[in-house]
Amino acid sequence: MKRIFLATLLALVSLTGFSQTNAPVAAPEAVPGKMEWFREAKFGMFIHWGIYTELAGIYGDKTDGGEWMMHSKKIPIAEYSALASQFNPVRFDADDWVRLAREAGQRYLVVTAKHHDGFAMYHSHISPYNIVDATPYGKDVVAELHRACREQGLRFGFYYSHVQDWYHPGAGGCDWDPAHDGDFETYLNEIALPQVDELLEALPDVDIVWMDQGGDITHEQAMRFYERVRAHPQIILNNRIGGGVTGDVITPEQFIPATGYQGRPWETCMTMNRHWAYCAYDDNWKSADELITKLVEIVSKGGNLLLNIGPDKYGTIPQVCRDNLQRIGAWMKVNGDAIYGTQASPFPFLPFGYATRKGNTLYLHIKDWSRRISVPYGLRVRKAYLLADPSVRIRHGRKGHQTWFELPPFAPHPAVSVLAVECEENVPTQAVPTTGLAMKVDGRVVPELSDEDYKSTWTAAAGSREAAVEIELPEALGIQCLATVEPWQIWDNIRQHYRVEAWIGGVWQTLAEGDGDGTGITLPFTPVTARRFRVRVTNPDAAISLRQVMLFQ
Ligand code: H79
């Protein structure tokens, strides 16, 4: 079986003329429909837990906390590893954690089996640097969570940092302690690959393998991980193996992509405050309402949300996290039909919020409540009702290519309220008016900006700090939002600035201004009808760079 699989893979590799360097591997769906549960589930729990919680984000000055502390403060291996002898999370209760996830409406759970610090939170037979052999607690918490997930009907996955490991010699990431000197191949063969093997053996029915930060390992090194995981055809593998090898799921970290990823499975992982691991002083909590809104936005763009919690060194989940999850759960009880098993919105942009759909039913997720909302399509409505109160009569009608709905005076929920609209037919996906359009930067056509490839990137000449993207629509249209995709990551701290203008009455009128966060921007404004637009871009931090520029109706 395994041999047939490998042979098929090799055939595929030679067919696609795949190079050693960076060609992505097509994801073979070994089990037909193996992604189905994932696409339906929409919402999972991420758990970052390890011996770094002994520090709780405090070591010297309290800046770079969390699971990166050892790296940020260049803590010697001998000192950091001694934290293990204190780690005794007596309040850990796998059944309680999984119940919390289930009651929040989360359908799967992913836990850090080994993070970049190299400490295994399961019983490893490859390295004694693990929770069973090196801590007074002495129990395998990954196995416990796996058991509890199976009992309560949640899917289960483990996170494994395969390249960075600041403890085992030769691995990536640790350059401050000579005790870490060694050979990367030896680390791969003696630690990382055997640990992945033993995890797959201990958890043969695991649903997700979440590798992290493969980066610049070679294609051949990446393939060794890839093949191991692919020998278990049911496993959903993320895209962070490195070496140009892609998996099944695209994994934006701490951001929501402007339009999703063209029908490919994706999952945003996100923290509730600013750290993945427990951090005693980080009070930058997102509210339950913000988190509900993010979940809705993600699902409306066809993705999943893997929402993180960071339990502390006792095994206690911060009360704020519990409260947030409970509130999300209450919302999901009422509105879950508009989340689970739905497809992405047919509308690239809606000024009042978001949409999802299932068959002929359209779910309008209303964030900015008003007495009257409309969608830019003439729907043949059979029935419209609020999920929070189906007994309230909702008047509706058509006007040209619009369908309007009259809402009661008060929103049922302060974050997002859902209007279900049963239609006579499936609503077709509305095109983004700028896709495929010739966009010019300083007079020259730049195809990267309007193709459908979110990865193709245009970068201005080094040193240039200003550019103008000119967009001429085939006809005047009512436009009310600019969206861009940028090539950086959140942690690069790049603030590219945008000013959107329209040519109206013989002058350029400014419509809106704002800064990207390194991954892009969604900038809504009061609708204007015009044919010519201009997006002026400045970048104080780096050469101007863009992947996509879109205008939405
Ligand atoms: O496990 C979480 C992160 O620890 C991990 N991925 C998620 C799921 C991750 N590994 N690397 N990165 C994320 C990107 C690196 C970010 C960094 Fe930093 C910026 C490392 C050093 C500067 C953030 C800020 C961490 C320390 C300071």
Side-chain angles (χ1 to χ4, degrees):
M1 174 66 199
K2 191 166 164 183
R3 221 189 280 144
I4 294 172
F5 168 73
L6 285 177
T8 319
L9 195 84
L10 282 172
L12 211 105
V13 161
S14 53
L15 269 177
T16 51
F18 184 107
S19 82
Q20 270 291 92
T21 48
N22 57 4
V25 177
E29 286 213 1
V31 168
K34 96 171 175 185
M35 297 307 295
E36 230 160 79
W37 75 261
F38 185 82
R39 286 186 182 276
E40 276 177 31
K42 306 297 182 194
F43 190 28
M45 175 182 275
F46 211 173
I47 302 178
H48 274 69
W49 203 33
I51 57 171
Y52 37 77
T53 56
E54 286 293 327
L55 299 170
I58 300 166
Y59 186 90
D61 69 33
K62 302 194 265 176
T63 43
D64 289 323
E67 74 287 356
W68 273 79
M69 187 66 97
M70 180 184 182
H71 185 281
S72 304
K73 295 290 187 276
K74 304 198 182 308
I75 305 177
I77 290 171
E79 180 186 343
Y80 182 86
S81 60
L83 295 171
S85 60
Q86 300 166 34
F87 191 67
N88 194 15
V90 291
R91 298 203 193 113
F92 170 64
D93 179 346
D95 300 305
D96 169 64
W97 290 15
V98 173
R99 197 180 317 113
L100 185 68
R102 186 165 51 83
E103 287 175 1
Q106 293 171 319
R107 296 271 168 96
Y108 61 106
L109 184 151
V110 178
V111 60
T112 48
K114 188 191 86 169
H115 206 274
H116 305 334
D117 68 350
F119 188 80
M121 293 294 281
Y122 68 97
H123 191 193
S124 175
H125 301 280
I126 304 301
S127 167
Y129 196 46
N130 73 72
I131 190 167
V132 175
D133 296 321
T135 76
Y137 187 65
K139 281 176 261 182
D140 181 332
V141 297
V142 173
E144 267 291 282
L145 285 165
H146 170 257
R147 174 198 55 78
C149 280
R150 287 294 172 256
E151 283 176 18
Q152 297 193 44
L154 266 75
R155 299 279 183 160
F156 180 81
F158 66 79
Y159 170 111
Y160 185 84
S161 171
H162 60 308
V163 175
Q164 288 195 60
D165 179 321
W166 309 323
Y167 178 84
H168 296 100
C174 173
D175 58 5
W176 60 89
D177 189 335
H180 193 263
D181 291 351
D183 172 46
F184 186 63
E185 268 297 317
T186 309
Y187 159 75
L188 286 183
N189 291 328
E190 291 179 11
I191 303 292
L193 291 163
Q195 283 198 325
V196 170
D197 284 340
E198 70 178 350
L199 278 162
L200 292 172
E201 203 180 306
L203 308 162
D205 63 346
V206 68
D207 299 293
I208 297 176
V209 171
W210 219 100
M211 311 293 276
D212 203 7
Q213 299 297 342
D216 54 9
I217 58 172
T218 68
H219 180 76
E220 185 278 322
Q221 286 165 338
M223 284 305 284
R224 285 190 253 160
F225 289 101
Y226 181 86
E227 281 162 8
R228 279 172 160 76
V229 177
R230 283 294 191 240
H232 301 252
Q234 89 283 1
I235 293 178
I236 294 174
L237 175 63
N238 76 348
N239 66 338
R240 296 193 177 196
I241 308 125
V245 177
T246 61
D248 303 308
V249 183
I250 304 172
T251 52
E253 180 165 329
Q254 301 282 37
F255 75 95
I256 304 175
T259 56
Y261 297 102
Q262 293 132 18
R264 290 180 58 191
W266 63 274
E267 173 193 70
T268 283
C269 54
M270 190 175 274
T271 53
M272 284 198 208
N273 57 0
R274 293 206 186 131
H275 290 87
W276 296 96
Y278 179 76
C279 184
Y281 56 87
D282 182 354
D283 285 330
N284 302 289
W285 296 104
K286 296 175 187 79
S287 68
D289 285 355
E290 285 174 90
L291 294 168
I292 290 165
T293 310
K294 289 192 189 297
L295 172 64
V296 167
E297 181 178 352
I298 288 166
V299 175
S300 81
K301 293 172 176 177
N304 286 17
L305 171 61
L306 186 61
L307 182 60
N308 184 69
I309 59 164
D312 72 9
K313 65 175 178 178
Y314 305 107
T316 301
I317 295 169
Q319 192 58 41
V320 189
C321 297
R322 300 191 81 100
D323 291 348
N324 275 344
L325 289 168
Q326 261 157 21
R327 290 190 185 124
I328 298 170
W331 186 90
M332 289 290 259
K333 264 210 180 90
V334 174
N335 299 295
D337 280 352
I339 298 290
Y340 302 119
T342 59
Q343 288 174 286
S345 173
F347 306 108
F349 178 78
L350 289 170
F352 58 80
Y354 305 97
T356 54
R357 62 174 163 184
K358 203 187 287 171
N360 290 354
T361 301
L362 185 66
Y363 297 100
L364 301 178
H365 297 251
I366 306 156
K367 180 171 68 136
D368 295 324
W369 187 265
S370 64
R371 294 306 303 273
R372 194 179 163 102
I373 59 165
S374 63
V375 297
Y377 191 77
L379 303 167
R380 293 198 295 145
V381 177
R382 213 182 279 158
K383 202 171 146 197
Y385 54 96
L386 293 166
L387 291 186
D389 190 352
S391 70
V392 179
R393 191 164 165 259
I394 304 293
R395 291 190 54 221
H396 57 84
R398 270 166 73 164
K399 196 178 153 204
H401 296 298
Q402 304 264 319
T403 308
W404 55 264
F405 301 90
E406 253 175 40
L407 304 175
F410 301 106
H413 193 279
V416 178
S417 306
V418 180
L419 180 68
V421 184
E422 293 179 17
C423 302
E424 295 291 343
E425 70 269 292
N426 204 336
V427 184
T429 297
Q430 308 295 290
V432 174
T434 48
T435 300
L437 211 68
M439 290 188 192
K440 288 181 183 168
V441 178
D442 303 325
R444 298 218 339 251
V445 174
V446 180
E448 288 89 342
L449 302 184
S450 59
D451 61 12
E452 281 184 286
D453 180 358
Y454 71 95
K455 274 196 167 169
S456 68
T457 309
W458 168 80
T459 303
S464 81
R465 287 285 177 264
E466 265 184 59
V469 182
E470 301 146 51
I471 303 162
E472 188 165 334
L473 300 170
E475 58 183 324
L477 293 173
I479 297 292
Q480 54 183 333
C481 185
L482 165 79
T484 72
V485 178
E486 299 169 353
W488 303 282
Q489 295 284 359
I490 292 280
W491 51 83
D492 295 325
N493 279 317
I494 288 174
R495 298 278 169 272
Q496 186 155 280
H497 184 81
Y498 298 91
R499 188 156 110 203
V500 199
E501 301 168 328
W503 182 254
I504 298 168
V507 288
W508 286 110
Q509 274 188 25
T510 298
L511 307 175
E513 283 195 70
D515 284 352
D517 63 4
T519 71
I521 190 173
T522 298
L523 190 59
F525 43 83
T526 311
V528 291
T529 300
R531 197 171 161 196
R532 286 178 69 198
F533 292 83
R534 189 162 77 175
V535 182
R536 299 175 72 166
V537 192
T538 50
N539 192 326
D541 307 309
I544 292 168
S545 200
L546 287 162
R547 286 187 165 168
Q548 296 286 286
V549 175
M550 290 164 280
L551 295 176
F552 296 143
Q553 277 175 286

